[in-house]
Amino acid sequence: MLDQADLDSVFRALADPGRRSMVERLSQGPASVSELGRPLDMSLAAVLQHVQVLESCGLVRTRKVGRTRTCSIDSGVLRSAEAWISERRALVERRLDRLADYLASTAEPLDVAIDWPSPPDAPPGPPESR
Amino acid sequence: MLDQADLDSVFRALADPGRRSMVERLSQGPASVSELGRPLDMSLAAVLQHVQVLESCGLVRTRKVGRTRTCSIDSGVLRSAEAWISERRALVERRLDRLADYLASTAEPLDVAIDWPSPPDAPPGPPESR
């Protein structure tokens, strides 16, 4: 599980569209730094800087073989950030469900005779046969 | 669903431990600004600033009645941020599962006779009776 400082840096890493696009690309499989940068309109230095942010918070691991640095994603870190949000979201939704149940159980039943109008085009039928 | 700029601001809002503590408090029910600030060691002005960040990204809604501003959480925005992470995490895990299946299916079966040692304390039995 991530501690508070880890959560700070993971959410901060995800708060950038370029870094999210890198996480999206890596969710489909490992990629080199230059592959990650290809769809983004930024210099290789800027791409590397983003990769370093993703690496320092643990979302991405990199491995250098020869001149190529290959990046891959750590699904455990993604899962921990997801868990933080989903636990709070579940609490809110459970509370709202309980509130809805309470309101339904205490609602006054409608105790009025409703005089439904007959449909305007109803064919005239024998008045007493129904 | 949140667009890229919304996701930027939601994740940026969650990247602060004070604001996450406010979201945690609000997941248990609405609270006034001063209630939100009580467990945090910060001025009311700082608390208000954090509330404004949470409000501007949609995570929190506020309503002022008299002199009290009451805050509540928008679970839909939490859910959208959670969905962004969980979709990527699911992709990564599915890919790793497929990789594991592939490796298992292509593994060479062990084709050697294994001479299991008999347990050291096995009682001597009649050699041919089993």
Side-chain angles (χ1 to χ4, degrees):
Chain A
M1 210 52 198
L2 304 178
D3 67 16
Q4 290 290 341
D6 295 334
L7 279 171
D8 283 8
S9 54
V10 170
F11 286 130
R12 205 176 305 126
L14 292 178
D16 178 273
R19 288 194 292 266
R20 282 201 306 280
S21 115
M22 292 176 180
V23 168
E24 277 198 78
R25 168 61 191 81
L26 291 174
S27 67
Q28 284 152 22
S32 68
V33 170
S34 54
E35 278 174 307
L36 285 183
R38 208 162 294 153
L40 302 168
D41 187 25
M42 55 176 79
S43 67
L44 190 64
V47 174
L48 255 175
Q49 226 166 10
H50 283 307
V51 168
Q52 275 162 4
V53 172
L54 291 168
E55 192 178 10
S56 71
C57 74
L59 272 171
V60 160
R61 280 172 297 196
T62 73
R63 203 164 52 101
K64 195 163 184 180
V65 177
R67 294 167 57 94
T68 306
R69 183 172 291 281
T70 303
C71 308
S72 58
I73 216 158
D74 186 330
S75 64
V77 174
L78 269 183
R79 179 180 279 281
S80 296
E82 179 189 347
W84 190 91
I85 302 182
S86 74
E87 282 161 24
R88 275 78 209 168
R89 194 256 315 147
L91 274 176
V92 179
E93 290 182 348
R94 239 174 295 158
R95 196 168 44 74
L96 292 178
D97 285 348
R98 279 203 305 272
L99 183 64
D101 288 348
Y102 172 77
L103 290 177
S105 71
T106 59
E108 295 272 327
L110 263 183
D111 195 16
V112 289
I114 297 176
D115 192 17
W116 295 108
S118 51
D121 295 323
E128 296 303 315
S129 67
R130 294 189 189 172
Chain B
M1 211 51 198
L2 304 178
D3 66 16
Q4 291 290 341
D6 295 335
L7 279 170
D8 283 7
S9 55
V10 170
F11 285 129
R12 205 177 304 127
L14 293 177
D16 179 273
R19 288 195 291 266
R20 281 199 307 278
S21 115
M22 294 177 177
V23 169
E24 276 198 78
R25 167 62 192 81
L26 292 174
S27 66
Q28 284 152 23
S32 69
V33 170
S34 53
E35 280 174 305
L36 284 185
R38 208 162 293 153
L40 301 169
D41 187 26
M42 55 176 77
S43 67
L44 190 63
V47 174
L48 255 176
Q49 227 166 9
H50 282 308
V51 168
Q52 275 162 4
V53 172
L54 290 168
E55 193 179 12
S56 71
C57 73
L59 273 170
V60 160
R61 280 171 297 196
T62 74
R63 203 165 52 101
K64 195 163 186 179
V65 176
R67 292 168 59 94
T68 305
R69 184 172 291 280
T70 303
C71 308
S72 58
I73 215 157
D74 185 331
S75 64
V77 174
L78 269 184
R79 179 181 279 281
S80 295
E82 179 188 345
W84 190 91
I85 302 182
S86 75
E87 282 161 24
R88 274 78 208 169
R89 195 257 315 147
L91 274 177
V92 179
E93 290 183 347
R94 240 173 295 158
R95 197 168 42 77
L96 292 178
D97 286 349
R98 277 202 306 271
L99 183 63
D101 289 349
Y102 172 76
L103 290 177
S105 71
T106 58
E108 295 271 326
L110 266 182
D111 195 15
V112 287
I114 297 176
D115 192 16
W116 295 106
S118 50
D121 294 322
E128 296 305 315
S129 67
R130 293 192 188 167

